[in-house]
Amino acid sequence: MKKLLLLASFTFLSMLATRAQTQFGIRGGLNLSNIAGDAMGNALRSDIHLGVLLKMKLVKSLYWLPEVQYSAQGAQSPNKVIKAYYNYLNIPVMLRFYPNDKVIFLEAGPQLGLLLSAKVSNISNTVSVKKEVRKEDFALNVGLGARFNSHIELDVRGIFGMSNTSLLPNPPGKYPNRVFQVSLQANL
């Protein structure tokens, strides 16, 4: 069902792309992620994100960017002995605004994350926790960046999870994803 929805979404976006000034692009970079909320005493975990996007001009300085990207997220204990690895297929839909000079941009938009895998590891073993982690993660993304030319852009983005990642009743509380991304985007 998820694959069918993804295929239908890209078909729709492709049809829109034929009517708008559109660029196809690839985007990837560094993730610094954490589990926030009631999760106490965990540290940032670094990993990667990589994906594709369509950049469609709506009006003079406003663009719509539907994206699909693999994102390795999670957290770790301060001493780095215990690590949580959450891997998502994220689908952000961003609005990007280029004020005056078209070099600096601001962006914001919602994101749907589909859990691909979830594991927790320590020094001696790794255990799947996919059944204990929510399969969908809704988030709000905000960011800013710079356009170097018509093909290369650099951005930083904060991803603020709105969903509780844990499906377990104990310990009670909310455990949303938080991710800081630094990305390089190549428009083809």
Side-chain angles (χ1 to χ4, degrees):
M1 181 66 180
K2 290 179 187 176
K3 290 179 184 177
L4 182 62
L5 178 61
L6 191 59
L7 179 62
S9 297
F10 262 102
T11 303
F12 174 72
L13 293 174
S14 296
M15 290 186 311
L16 283 177
T18 60
R19 299 199 177 260
Q21 186 177 1
T22 303
Q23 288 181 301
F24 175 78
I26 56 175
R27 181 179 181 275
L30 173 70
N31 275 357
L32 296 174
S33 63
N34 200 346
I35 299 171
D38 295 317
M40 300 294 282
N42 62 37
L44 291 174
R45 189 174 86 73
S46 60
D47 219 312
I48 64 161
H49 63 276
L50 181 63
V52 296
L53 61 96
L54 290 175
K55 182 179 175 185
M56 294 180 258
K57 187 174 186 176
L58 299 176
V59 293
K60 183 178 177 184
S61 298
L62 189 63
Y63 291 79
W64 183 47
L65 285 87
E67 305 174 14
V68 175
Q69 65 183 4
Y70 166 79
S71 183
Q73 300 171 194
Q76 62 187 5
S77 63
N79 61 7
K80 300 181 182 178
V81 173
I82 299 171
K83 297 181 181 182
Y85 300 93
Y86 293 177
N87 296 306
Y88 287 92
L89 179 68
N90 285 337
I91 306 168
V93 179
M94 306 296 288
L95 278 177
R96 185 175 285 178
F97 175 67
Y98 293 86
N100 302 333
D101 60 6
K102 289 206 170 218
V103 173
I104 304 298
F105 62 83
L106 305 170
E107 62 182 3
Q111 173 178 290
L112 170 64
L114 304 173
L115 184 68
L116 301 173
S117 67
K119 297 177 182 174
V120 173
S121 70
N122 60 26
I123 293 173
S124 59
N125 66 8
T126 300
V127 177
S128 174
V129 293
K130 189 172 180 181
K131 291 181 180 178
E132 290 83 25
V133 177
R134 187 173 307 280
K135 292 179 181 18
E136 298 85 20
D137 183 40
F138 297 98
L140 177 62
N141 299 349
V142 294
L144 61 95
R147 178 176 160 178
F148 297 105
N149 58 46
S150 63
H151 298 291
I152 303 294
E153 296 177 313
L154 178 70
D155 73 88
V156 294
R157 186 180 288 179
I159 302 171
F160 302 93
M162 313 273 284
S163 304
N164 186 7
T165 58
S166 177
L167 293 174
L168 297 175
N170 289 315
K174 294 196 182 264
Y175 304 94
N177 281 312
R178 294 287 188 266
V179 183
F180 176 76
Q181 290 183 337
V182 178
S183 307
L184 186 63
Q185 178 179 317
N187 300 315
L188 307 175

